[in-house]
Structures are given as C-alpha cells and as structure tokens.
Amino acid sequence: MIERACEELEVLRDAGAGSAAVEEECSGGTPPPGFRPGLKPQRVIAISGAKGGVGKSLFSANLALYLATIGRQVIVVDADSTGSSLHTFLGVSSPRPIATYQPPAHTFPRYREPPRPALDRFSADPDQTGAWRLRDTPIPGLKLLHAGLDEPTSKTARLSMRDGLYRNLRQLEAEYLVVDLGAGFRRSMLDCWLQADLALFVTLPEPTAIENTYRFMRYAFMRHAQRVVKEPRLRSRLMTLVRDIGKAPPALDVLRHLEKQGGALADIVRDAMATFRFRMVLNQTRLRADLELGDRMRSAARRRLALHLDYLGYIDYDDTVWSCVRASRPLLVESPGTRASKSIEKIARRALSIEAGTERREASSAAPPESHHDLVEVARGANDEEIRRAYKRAREVYSLDSLCCYGLFDDAGITALRTRLDEAYDVLLDPARRRPYELSVFPSEPSPEIETVPEEPRTSMPPPAITPDTEFTGPLLRAVRESQRIDLKDVSKRTKVSVSHLLAIEEDAFDQLPASVYVRGFIIEFAKYLLLDPEQVSRTYVRKYRRYFEERN
C-alpha cells in the first residue's frame, strides 16, 4: 500500500521537484570505500532541534522520504540519544523491540536479559540486536539506520558511540544520509552537526525554543572557532578568553575583546564568523507573526551575535501531522497535498539548492557596520518612505516583548538599542544632518575615470511611447534616457546610485543587483531623474525582478 502511495506521490510532485537545482549532480571528492558503481558521492544532512518535541524527527523522516521519491538512494539515521522515534514517522516497526511477552506461569523465574554484543559494526541482521541495524523500509530507495544511542549496550557510553558515528556513516552506501541528531549542546553532537555537508536546525515560535536556538548558535560557533584556530597557542588563548567572559559567550563579545587585545587571533575569529552559517526551519507556525519570526530572528542574531542565520522557511501547523503520527504513517505518503507536506517539500527543495550551491544568496549590506543605515537596515539611497517603513519594522523587532529577542537581549540592552534607533531615524530623515553624516561614514564615490562606461551616441532619438499600462524594463529605461541625451555618469552623480548598478538595471542583470528593497529605491530615483512616474516604474520593474528569482527557485 505504501509503495502504491509513493507512486501516487511522485505523480503529484510539482514541477519544481524536477528542476535543475534538484537534479544537479552533487560533487564531494573521492567516494568512500565500498561504494557501488553508479552511486553519486555521499552527502550528509544533519538535523538538530531546540528541544524535544519541536519536530526534528518529523522533518528528518519526511526530508529523507522526499529525497527517495525523487530517485535518490537515501539512508535516514536515528542518532537521537534521548529517544529514537524515526521508525514511527516512517511507518515501520521498532528496530529495538522489547522481549516478547510471555504470559505468567505458575512459577515466576527471574528474568535475565540476554547479553548484547559489542557495538562495533553495522548490521542488517535482525538477530544481532546489539549492532547498529540498517533496515529496509516500504519506501523504495530509503533505508533506516538505528544508531542505538538511546539504549547503549553494556559498557558502552553514549559519548563514545557518537564519537565514531560520523566516521562510520561515511562507510555506508548511499547518495544522501539524513541524520537526526536530537537536541542538546554536547560536544560530540556539535561536531557531527558542524562536519555535515548541510546542517539544519528546527525550532518553534515559542520563548523556550527561541532561547535554546540562540544558545545552540553560541555553542556551535564556539566549537566552530576551536576547529578553525589550528595553532595550539592561539586556541588556548581563545578558550581562556571564553572562560573569562562566560560559557559560550556571543561571538560579537569575543571579537570585541580580541580586538582590544590585538594580534592575529582577532582576524581568525572574524573570518570564522564570516564563514559560519546557521540554517533554521520554523515549525508549527499558526499566526501571521509566526511567519515573520524567522526574518526577525535573522536581524536580531546579526545585531547581537554578529552571525549569519539563514532562514529556510516555515512548516504550517497542521492537524494532519498529528493524525499521521497517531496512525504511524509517513506524512508525505499519507497526505501529500496538505499545507505541512507542501511546506516540507518547499524547504527540501531549498535545502537541495543550498547543497548543490545554486541557492539565491542574500545581498550583503553596503552600509558600514553599526552605522545608522546598518541599524535601520536601509541603503544609502533610500527615500523617506523606505526609511519610515524600515524604522517601524526595527521598532517592532526590538521591542521589550518581542519574541525574536527572547534570550538574546535584556531590557537594558533593548532600551539602549531603541535609543540608537531613534537617533538614526532622526538623522536619516533630516537632509541637513543626513548628507554630512553619509559623507563621513560611507567611502568616497569612485572617480568617473575608474569606471568603464560604454561610449553613448549623442544623436537625438525619438522618445519611446509610454502609456499608463506600460511595463518598464531595463532596455526601455535606457531608451528613455538616450532619447533625453542623458549620460549615466550624470544620473549616478545626482541619484547617488553607482554606475555599475545603473548598468545592471538597464541590462536587466538581476543577479548583479542587491535585494528588492534596494532595487526599488534605485528605480525610484532613476525614474524621478528621467521625469517618469516613479510609482509605475518601480512597481512594474520590481515585479519583473521578483518574478525572475521566483522562476529560478
């Protein structure tokens, strides 16, 4: 029955599952020994969570199931030391059932559990209950590995079992290994999470889970920094500083102390902060505020921790999930059309694009760190309306009762930050104060001789026909500019938009442009200079810009 449901699921799979990003070959160096010919290099996806019950096992099982339904050879690994349950989400029997019940006889002999062999190898033999067991599932292409961390054999500690987990996993024959690591901050678990080709974290829109999410970020980065700092002397100095500040302090605090002390260690930690990526999934979203929580957590984490939090998406709260778990049925097989199933598939496709290196990256801010523009999160050329909207959003993010700041800022820190926000808002809306401030914090504009601009004809050209229904494109804007015999250098000088960005706009080179909020500001200033309707130009151009990236994803 499950096999037939899997076939129906493949038919119902939307066209995005067959995109180039999903089907792209994965590269990963020399395959481990024992791989069968024809298998692609193995990739490890590690999943952890803020606490028990956030949905990491549900997500792990259905992510592995999705990969199997698009033709991958997948092994899903249950490495949760607090209670293995992946078999329930996949609809298979427990890999470690208790002994068969025997009705009591007239006498009651003392029960002795048979000894289990040492945990030294993988096994698919159901009779060897002490080995790590690799089992088939009803889903074609998907196997389940029960690592047994929740019930270690005699004289075997959970810690020693997890220490060899990652090394042993690399010996398995599969294209993808989806590993459910459970929750916690143990060093062995953090190492497995950091060593994975793709590490994901599942949390909930509630205070306890949000606080544990930020705590995991701090612990994971400190472990990442230890691995990056190779020289023993510098590593010892780093750990001494961490102990002096407090256990797993924010990366920003560590960097500020190192910058005061001077030396090469500050540069190493700064580079480690730039390369650290924390990818998060938000589960059980119910309210509109929950849908905005991921982006707000990204802003708050960047401000307080100075770390990159990549928000992959949310999974809607759905009663179907409960009914599938109650019946021990896989969600994507039992109910592929529900909101939760579609959310998981969307996140799975996004995770695959990240793993394949084809994801759309967020444009980095050109504003200097800790500047007014960086604090309010606007570009240098933002207009008054954009500044007002960004300021309103920032005030909501950094309010005393804001969920995204729970466990990250105390009341004194929030109050100080809001005072800085008010100051930034006042300066950016006052032209007399904004211009001198921008000249003091932004690097000087490159001289026109540095930028290479194609020579433009100076002959008069008829203006293109424009109606209230005109859809503005880059070539159309260029035609309007050339009809007015305006040079790009003059546009850049007046609008403060760089020549390179103006060229990208006219060529519809969307990959070379920043985020849509900045592009809209650039387009509005460009349209004003060309005496066009800025609202119509920005609306139509930004719509085309967003459609381009939606089609790519």
Side-chain angles (χ1 to χ4, degrees), residues 375-378 384-398 417-426 428-429:
L375 189 63
V376 184
E377 298 186 17
V378 294
D384 291 353
E385 181 60 28
E386 290 171 337
I387 293 173
R388 291 189 183 95
R389 287 199 299 265
Y391 171 74
K392 179 181 178 181
R393 174 185 177 276
R395 293 278 295 187
E396 293 173 351
V397 170
Y398 302 111
L417 185 55
R418 288 170 68 89
T419 301
R420 281 243 18 233
L421 274 172
D422 294 341
E423 178 189 1
Y425 180 70
D426 292 340
L428 294 180
L429 281 186

Side-chain angles (χ1 to χ4, degrees), residues 146-338:
H146 181 73
L149 269 65
D150 57 333
E151 296 179 3
T153 56
S154 58
K155 300 182 180 179
T156 304
R158 289 184 176 90
L159 181 61
S160 62
M161 293 169 64
R162 183 179 274 127
D163 284 339
L165 175 65
Y166 190 83
R167 181 180 64 256
N168 290 328
L169 289 181
R170 287 296 186 182
Q171 302 173 12
L172 295 173
E173 296 179 352
E175 296 175 59
Y176 282 93
L177 297 175
V178 179
V179 187
D180 179 9
L181 293 173
F185 314 103
R186 293 170 297 278
R187 178 176 299 182
S188 59
M189 198 206 75
L190 292 175
D191 286 341
C192 290
W193 194 82
L194 292 170
Q195 292 175 45
D197 299 294
L198 179 62
L200 306 177
F201 192 86
V202 183
T203 190
L204 296 178
E206 58 184 43
T208 53
I210 299 302
E211 184 175 19
N212 281 344
T213 300
Y214 293 134
R215 183 180 294 119
F216 187 94
M217 285 186 70
R218 301 201 313 269
Y219 275 88
F221 174 76
M222 284 298 106
R223 188 59 180 164
H224 172 67
Q226 292 179 50
R227 297 162 59 89
V228 169
V229 180
K230 303 296 184 182
E231 187 177 341
R233 180 181 59 85
L234 294 179
R235 187 185 299 114
S236 176
R237 178 185 164 194
L238 173 64
M239 298 315 299
T240 300
L241 175 62
V242 169
R243 285 192 295 269
D244 292 342
I245 301 177
K247 196 169 185 180
L252 181 61
D253 296 354
V254 175
L255 180 61
R256 286 174 175 173
H257 279 79
L258 291 175
E259 288 176 340
K260 291 180 181 179
Q261 297 175 5
L265 185 55
D267 295 331
I268 298 176
V269 171
R270 188 182 297 107
D271 292 341
M273 293 167 63
T275 58
F276 181 80
R277 287 292 185 276
F278 183 85
R279 295 185 170 95
M280 185 190 76
V281 173
L282 195 61
N283 190 25
Q284 296 184 21
T285 55
R286 294 175 172 87
L287 309 174
R288 179 179 179 83
D290 296 343
L291 306 184
E292 301 173 350
L293 180 60
D295 290 325
R296 294 186 176 188
M297 289 179 64
R298 177 167 51 195
S299 297
R302 185 176 70 88
R303 182 69 50 205
R304 181 64 187 95
L305 305 179
L307 297 176
H308 296 279
L309 188 155
D310 296 337
Y311 176 47
L312 297 190
Y314 60 86
I315 302 174
D316 288 305
Y317 180 84
D318 196 336
D319 287 335
T320 307
V321 176
W322 175 86
S323 61
C324 288
V325 175
R326 180 74 176 263
S328 298
R329 301 284 296 173
L331 175 64
L332 291 186
V333 172
E334 188 74 7
S335 304
T338 59

Side-chain angles (χ1 to χ4, degrees), residues 295-490:
D295 290 325
R296 294 186 176 188
M297 289 179 64
R298 177 167 51 195
S299 297
R302 185 176 70 88
R303 182 69 50 205
R304 181 64 187 95
L305 305 179
L307 297 176
H308 296 279
L309 188 155
D310 296 337
Y311 176 47
L312 297 190
Y314 60 86
I315 302 174
D316 288 305
Y317 180 84
D318 196 336
D319 287 335
T320 307
V321 176
W322 175 86
S323 61
C324 288
V325 175
R326 180 74 176 263
S328 298
R329 301 284 296 173
L331 175 64
L332 291 186
V333 172
E334 188 74 7
S335 304
T338 59
R339 293 183 303 168
S341 297
K342 292 181 178 179
S343 299
I344 292 175
E345 291 187 10
K346 183 177 180 180
I347 295 171
R349 290 194 295 270
R350 194 167 298 172
L352 282 177
S353 68
I354 292 174
E355 192 271 334
T358 59
E359 84 280 13
R360 179 191 172 193
R361 298 183 181 275
E362 291 290 331
S364 58
S365 175
E370 305 302 328
S371 65
H372 292 337
H373 299 74
D374 176 67
L375 189 63
V376 184
E377 298 186 17
V378 294
R380 182 179 183 179
N383 58 33
D384 291 353
E385 181 60 28
E386 290 171 337
I387 293 173
R388 291 189 183 95
R389 287 199 299 265
Y391 171 74
K392 179 181 178 181
R393 174 185 177 276
R395 293 278 295 187
E396 293 173 351
V397 170
Y398 302 111
S399 61
L400 292 176
D401 59 348
S402 176
L403 181 58
C404 69
C405 294
Y406 192 85
L408 201 60
F409 295 90
D410 57 11
D411 290 350
I414 289 289
T415 302
L417 185 55
R418 288 170 68 89
T419 301
R420 281 243 18 233
L421 274 172
D422 294 341
E423 178 189 1
Y425 180 70
D426 292 340
V427 170
L428 294 180
L429 281 186
D430 186 352
R433 300 169 63 189
R434 177 177 178 178
R435 179 61 178 167
Y437 175 78
E438 289 182 341
L439 291 175
S440 65
V441 299
F442 281 92
S444 58
E445 290 285 337
S447 60
E449 292 76 16
I450 296 178
E451 295 198 32
T452 303
V453 182
E455 190 67 25
E456 300 185 11
R458 292 296 181 178
T459 57
S460 298
M461 299 178 62
I466 297 176
T467 67
D469 299 326
T470 298
E471 295 283 335
F472 282 88
T473 63
L476 178 58
L477 291 174
R478 172 180 289 174
V480 173
R481 177 179 61 80
E482 291 177 348
S483 69
Q484 300 178 16
R485 303 187 64 181
I486 297 175
D487 192 278
L488 272 182
K489 299 176 185 177
D490 298 330

